[in-house]
C-alpha cells in the first residue's frame, strides 16, 4: 500500500508534464471513468498528478474535491487549483470525508492513492527517510498526533515488536525492539539516521533492501493510523 518509492509509470504524452508521473496513472483514469459533469474526490492529493488528469476530463459543470492530511500538499493544491471554479480544497484525512458538506450530495468516484508521497520521502526534515537524516517525525500532518520520536520514547518493547511485525512483516521485530529499548535507556532517539543505524546493527546481513526499510514502513503506518483511516475512508466512500 505505501510507497512513493514504487514503480512510477509514464503518463501519456500531452496529459501531464514530465515533472510528476503518478503511480498507475492510466489505470486510475480508466477506473474512474470521469464523467464531464460528475463530482469526484481525490482523498490523497499529494502533488496533484492524478487530480490534474481528472480535471482534464471534467467539463465546466464537474466538481473535484481535493483532500490531504499534509499541509505542504494542501499548499500545492491551493497554488495549482485555487483559481479553478470546479475545485474545492480542504485539509484533513479522507477518513472524515463524510463530514465535508461538499460530499453530501454524493460522489461519482473516489481516489485514494495510499501511502507517502515522493516529496515526503525526499525532504529530510519530514523525518520519513532512513536514507536522509532528519528529525524522527514521520507524521503526514505534523500538527496532529504523536511523532515517531515520541512514540519510540514511550512504547513498551512488546508494542514496538508488534508494530514492526504487523505493519512491516519484519522477521527480526523482537530483536529490533529489544535494541531500541536498550539504546533509548541511555540516549533518546531524535534522528532518522540514528534509528536506522541501530536497526541495521542488529540485522543479519544479506538483505537486498536497506535493513531499516520494513521497520520504517511499519512505524510510519502506525504513527499515521493508516489502516484505521483506510477502513473509515472505504466505509465513507461506499456510503
Ligand atoms: C502516494 S501520495 C499521493 C500522490 C498523488 N496521487 C499524486 O498524483 O501526486 C499519498 C498522499 O496521501 C496523503 N495521505 C495519506 N494518508 C492520508 C489520509 N488518511 N488522508 C488524507 N491524505 C492522506 C499523504 O499525505 C500523501 O500526500
Amino acid at each position: 500500500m505505501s510507497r512513493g518509492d514504487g514503480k512510477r509509470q509514464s503518463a501519456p504524452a500531452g496529459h501531464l508534464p514530465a515533472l510528476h508521473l503518478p503511480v498507475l496513472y492510466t489505470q486510475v483514469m480508466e477506473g474512474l471513468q470521469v464523467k464531464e459533469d460528475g463530482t469526484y474526490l481525490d482523498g490523497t492529493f499529494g502533488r496533484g498528478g492524478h487530480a490534474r488528469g481528472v480535471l482534464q476530463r471534467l467539463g465546466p459543470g464537474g466538481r473535484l474535491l481535493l483532500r490531504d492530511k499534509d499541509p505542504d500538499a494542501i499548499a500545492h493544491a491551493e497554488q495549482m487549483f485555487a483559481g479553478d471554479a470546479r475545485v474545492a480544497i480542504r485539509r484533513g484525512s479522507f477518513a472524515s470525508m463524510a463530514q465535508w458538506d461538499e460530499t453530501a450530495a454524493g460522489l461519482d468516484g473516489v481516489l485514494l492513492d495510499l501511502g507517502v508521497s515522493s516529496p515526503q520521502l525526499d525532504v529530510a526534515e519530514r523525518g520519513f527517510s532512513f536514507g536522509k537524516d532528519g528529525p524522527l517525525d514521520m507524521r503526514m500532518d505534523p500538527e496532529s498526533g504523536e511523532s515517531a520520536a515520541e512514540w519510540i520514547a514511550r512504547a513498551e518493547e512488546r508494542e514496538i515488536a508488534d508494530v514492526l511485525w504487523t505493519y512491516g512483516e519484519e522477521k527480526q521485530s523482537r530483536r529490533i525492539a529489544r535494541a531500541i529499548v536498550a539504546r533509548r535507556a541511555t540516549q533518546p532517539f531524535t534522528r532518522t539516521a540514528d534509528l536506522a543505524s541501530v536497526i541495521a546493527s542488529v540485522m543479519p546481513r544479506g538483505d537486498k533492501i536497506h535493513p531499516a526499510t520494513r521497520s520504517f514502513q511499519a512505524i510510519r503506518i502506525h504513527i499515521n493510523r493508516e489502516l484505521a483511516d483506510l477502513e473509515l475512508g472505504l466505509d465513507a466512500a461506499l456510503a
Side-chain angles (χ1 to χ4, degrees), residues 35-222:
K35 294 188 284 186
E36 281 203 358
D37 60 350
T39 300
Y40 296 86
L41 177 108
D42 179 351
T44 51
F45 175 81
R47 285 298 178 272
H50 290 120
R52 217 173 326 187
V54 174
L55 280 170
Q56 283 168 352
R57 288 158 176 80
L58 275 183
R63 195 102 180 108
L64 178 60
L65 314 181
L66 300 178
R67 202 153 173 78
D68 203 294
K69 274 179 165 182
D70 186 328
D72 290 348
I74 290 300
H76 272 82
E78 276 160 1
Q79 205 181 0
M80 290 164 77
F81 298 126
D84 190 325
R86 301 168 299 171
V87 173
I89 303 166
R90 189 172 294 181
R91 179 169 151 200
S93 172
F94 56 68
S96 57
M97 68 175 88
Q99 275 114 61
W100 191 359
D101 48 4
E102 287 262 10
T103 65
L107 298 166
D108 294 290
V110 173
L111 171 61
L112 305 179
D113 178 13
L114 304 171
V116 268
S117 65
S118 304
Q120 285 167 338
L121 285 173
D122 291 345
V123 177
E125 291 309 304
R126 298 302 304 269
F128 284 96
S129 173
F130 47 75
K132 297 187 176 79
D133 187 32
L136 186 58
D137 194 310
M138 296 199 201
R139 286 171 296 180
M140 291 171 184
D141 176 357
E143 286 159 23
S144 139
E146 206 173 25
S147 70
E150 287 163 345
W151 178 68
I152 292 242
R154 69 151 183 86
E156 287 183 12
E157 183 177 326
R158 172 85 186 257
E159 186 188 353
I160 296 174
D162 285 350
V163 164
L164 300 185
W165 173 250
T166 308
Y167 300 138
E169 294 175 20
E170 175 52 72
K171 292 196 185 77
Q172 307 298 330
S173 56
R174 285 170 198 270
R175 192 196 282 208
I176 295 169
R178 205 174 314 128
I180 287 174
V181 167
R183 210 319 284 277
R184 80 181 180 193
T186 54
Q187 193 190 344
F189 288 96
T190 60
R191 309 286 300 177
T192 56
D194 182 26
L195 178 62
S197 100
V198 168
I199 293 171
S201 73
V202 296
M203 292 290 278
R205 307 234 170 265
D207 235 348
K208 286 197 189 101
I209 57 171
H210 187 289
T213 305
R214 284 182 291 268
S215 297
F216 268 59
Q217 173 190 294
I219 295 167
R220 187 206 86 217
I221 290 174
H222 174 72

